[in-house]
Amino acid sequence: MADPHTKAALSRRKLLTAGSMAAGLAMLADVSHSQDNPAANVEDRGTNIQITSLKGFRVGTKAYIKIETNRQITGWGEVTGLEPMVAVALAQSLFELLDGENPTRVEYLWQKLYRSHRDMRGGPFMTHVISAIDMALWDIAGKAWGLPVYRLLGGPVRDKVRYYSHAKAHKVGTGGPHPHSGDPRDIEPLVKNIKQTRERVGPDGTVMFDAHCAIPPAMLIQLAAAIEPYDILFLEEPAVPGNIEVFKRLKESIKIPLATGERDRTIWGMIPYLQERCIDILQPDCAHTGGISQMHKIATLAEAYMVPLAPHCTCSELGVSASLQAAFVVPFLVIHEMYLDGHLMPPGVANKTFKVLDDGHVTAPEGPGLGVHVDESQFEKVNADPKRKFVWPKLTLPDGSVRDY
Ligand SMILES: [Mg+2]
């Protein structure tokens, strides 16, 4: 049987733009000329490519980052979970650190950005923006070499990636905040919803439950015991990120596999869950945690602890494609989140090349780089829609006190 990735490589050639084709061929010529000189083979053959500009765009509730080079190769990345105009301003400021740099030195530039402000090292706003820049750098590197990013990361370890949400795989949410309560009136509707979802997807379907950090720990322990018969794949976000002592307490009392990580950033944010053995499934978000570069490292850390990944993703098809590039090289992966129904971004803005299969999986993105095509001409139309404007959540419990979710 023909290797599907070989077929993808063939169709990829058709997708090369004239600019990236010329640049890629120039680099390949360098390779053949250096065959008789082993020392030349260890040099960075992409040394002539340089970053010339960075542009940021608000696109609905997201920000898209576009990095241009002197080789007419362009890379795209997506910022999510952050006020988009703040993201655009921060990305444009960070261009000072990228101007004239070689975009194929992805790890070096990640370090340069993350460690740029003395010992601040990240924080959510910075790391979300670095995530998008990292995606754009990998996009450029892939296009420069004429390869999908997953090839540069070691090649695919699977033929397809299992995903949700679809008719046979559904994640149930909390339906809002839950003040501390042991009342059946408060717990029974959640149990009923999970039970009905299990009945709807059938015994061969997948049910997940996202507690959104919105259910107090004692109440969550009660709820978890009540939903045990419905065989859910994981119970997500049982507690506020980073509160390791609460996670340890919940892990001792809840039999359902616990998952978290969407609001944790970098290897340094993830490792306490692993070291304290208080999580069963890790859910890094490529657009929150530091981009493809950090996803790849987090997967390796988790693999050492036999903890699989279920990547969180509420990006448009741009960020989903970036996350999939990493997911295809992760050896230990359960399922990948994605929403392709247009509620996060209208169709036509970022255009995926991966295919959605009938069996609940997606194929790898095709073409060089991230394998996604961004249509800038759509941005204005998206921004004209008042429903697609970022608004700060204004969240309170019924008694007026503040809540996170
Ligand atoms: Mg969640």
Side-chain angles (χ1 to χ4, degrees), residues 59 64 76 348-351 373-380:
V59 191
Y64 280 10
W76 286 94
V349 181
N351 299 286
H373 307 288
V374 175
D375 183 356
E376 287 178 63
S377 71
Q378 300 288 316
F379 294 174
E380 208 175 316

Side-chain angles (χ1 to χ4, degrees), residues 5-74:
H5 300 291
T6 306
K7 281 196 266 178
L10 291 171
S11 60
R12 188 175 64 236
R13 285 181 205 146
K14 294 182 200 158
L15 291 166
L16 279 167
T17 61
S20 63
M21 175 78 90
L25 290 175
M27 289 187 205
L28 289 171
D30 291 344
V31 177
S32 59
H33 291 151
S34 63
Q35 274 173 349
D36 299 329
N37 178 7
N41 291 330
V42 299
E43 289 177 9
D44 180 355
R45 291 186 298 271
T47 47
N48 293 331
I49 188 166
Q50 286 184 326
I51 295 172
T52 54
S53 80
L54 182 153
K55 291 175 184 148
F57 307 88
R58 176 174 92 83
V59 191
T61 59
K62 315 291 186 187
Y64 280 10
I65 304 302
K66 178 186 185 184
I67 296 178
E68 294 174 314
T69 65
N70 63 341
R71 294 285 192 105
Q72 287 73 53
I73 299 174
T74 298

Side-chain angles (χ1 to χ4, degrees), residues 93-99 101 109 112-113 116-117 126:
S93 172
L94 289 171
F95 176 64
E96 188 182 327
L97 299 169
L98 298 168
D99 189 12
E101 288 281 11
L109 293 176
K112 189 177 180 186
L113 296 172
S116 59
H117 205 283
M126 186 72 157

Side-chain angles (χ1 to χ4, degrees), residues 247-248 251 271-280 305:
F247 277 90
K248 283 160 70 177
K251 185 67 201 133
I271 200 160
Y273 297 116
L274 300 168
Q275 287 176 322
E276 297 294 340
R277 289 177 283 183
C278 57
I279 206 75
D280 300 285
Y305 288 85

Side-chain angles (χ1 to χ4, degrees), residues 171 210 212 236-237 262-263 312:
K171 189 160 78 180
D210 193 341
H212 296 307
E236 176 175 323
E237 286 190 291
E262 70 180 76
R263 285 179 239 281
H312 175 273

Side-chain angles (χ1 to χ4, degrees), residues 115-400:
R115 296 160 69 182
S116 59
H117 205 283
R118 303 212 170 170
D119 293 319
M120 295 286 192
R121 298 178 72 100
F125 283 21
M126 186 72 157
T127 311
H128 288 212
V129 173
I130 292 174
S131 300
I133 292 172
D134 180 88
M135 291 177 201
L137 296 176
W138 278 112
D139 196 20
I140 292 168
K143 287 170 178 169
W145 295 107
L147 291 169
V149 173
Y150 63 76
R151 287 278 177 214
L152 303 181
L153 297 171
V157 296
R158 56 178 52 78
D159 299 328
K160 54 189 180 179
V161 163
R162 184 182 173 197
Y163 85 101
Y164 69 96
S165 186
H166 58 82
K168 295 288 283 181
H170 184 73
K171 189 160 78 180
V172 176
T174 57
H178 292 267
H180 185 90
S181 169
D183 298 345
R185 182 191 62 177
D186 294 325
I187 293 178
E188 280 177 2
L190 291 168
V191 178
K192 190 175 161 196
N193 193 2
I194 291 162
K195 178 174 182 283
Q196 286 174 343
T197 304
R198 167 52 70 198
E199 287 164 358
R200 195 173 70 243
V201 303
D204 59 339
T206 305
V207 181
M208 295 145 280
F209 176 66
D210 193 341
H212 296 307
C213 318
I215 301 178
M219 182 177 166
L220 188 64
I221 291 168
Q222 272 180 293
L223 173 68
I227 61 176
E228 265 177 42
Y230 307 115
D231 297 310
I232 67 171
L233 181 64
F234 53 71
L235 192 164
E236 176 175 323
E237 286 190 291
V240 174
N243 199 334
I244 296 298
E245 293 306 315
V246 178
F247 277 90
K248 283 160 70 177
R249 178 176 149 212
L250 293 171
K251 185 67 201 133
E252 282 169 11
S253 309
I254 295 177
K255 291 181 186 163
I256 297 166
L258 297 181
T260 206
E262 70 180 76
R263 285 179 239 281
D264 296 282
R265 292 158 193 91
T266 76
I267 48 175
W268 298 286
M270 299 293 178
I271 200 160
Y273 297 116
L274 300 168
Q275 287 176 322
E276 297 294 340
R277 289 177 283 183
C278 57
I279 206 75
D280 300 285
I281 295 167
L282 209 51
Q283 299 180 293
D285 185 313
C286 187
H288 293 175
T289 205
I292 294 168
S293 299
Q294 283 293 306
M295 273 272 282
H296 197 219
K297 290 184 180 185
I298 289 164
T300 304
L301 272 187
E303 183 188 354
Y305 288 85
M306 293 292 281
V307 169
L309 260 54
H312 175 273
C313 190
T314 50
C315 280
S316 72
E317 290 174 18
L318 170 56
V320 174
S321 299
S323 186
L324 278 176
Q325 295 288 345
F328 265 90
V329 302
V330 173
F332 215 24
L333 186 112
V334 178
I335 197 165
H336 194 298
E337 183 175 32
M338 63 184 76
Y339 300 97
L340 304 172
D341 57 4
H343 83 273
L344 295 165
M345 185 66 72
V349 181
N351 299 286
K352 68 182 189 311
T353 57
F354 63 86
K355 293 180 188 64
V356 179
L357 305 175
D358 292 337
D359 66 355
H361 291 74
V362 295
T363 62
E366 294 182 9
L370 298 181
V372 63
H373 307 288
V374 175
D375 183 356
E376 287 178 63
S377 71
Q378 300 288 316
F379 294 174
E380 208 175 316
K381 196 168 80 182
V382 178
N383 291 336
D385 182 348
K387 292 196 294 295
R388 295 193 182 271
K389 191 173 181 311
F390 178 91
V391 287
W392 290 101
K394 304 166 189 72
L395 304 170
T396 54
L397 290 169
D399 67 0

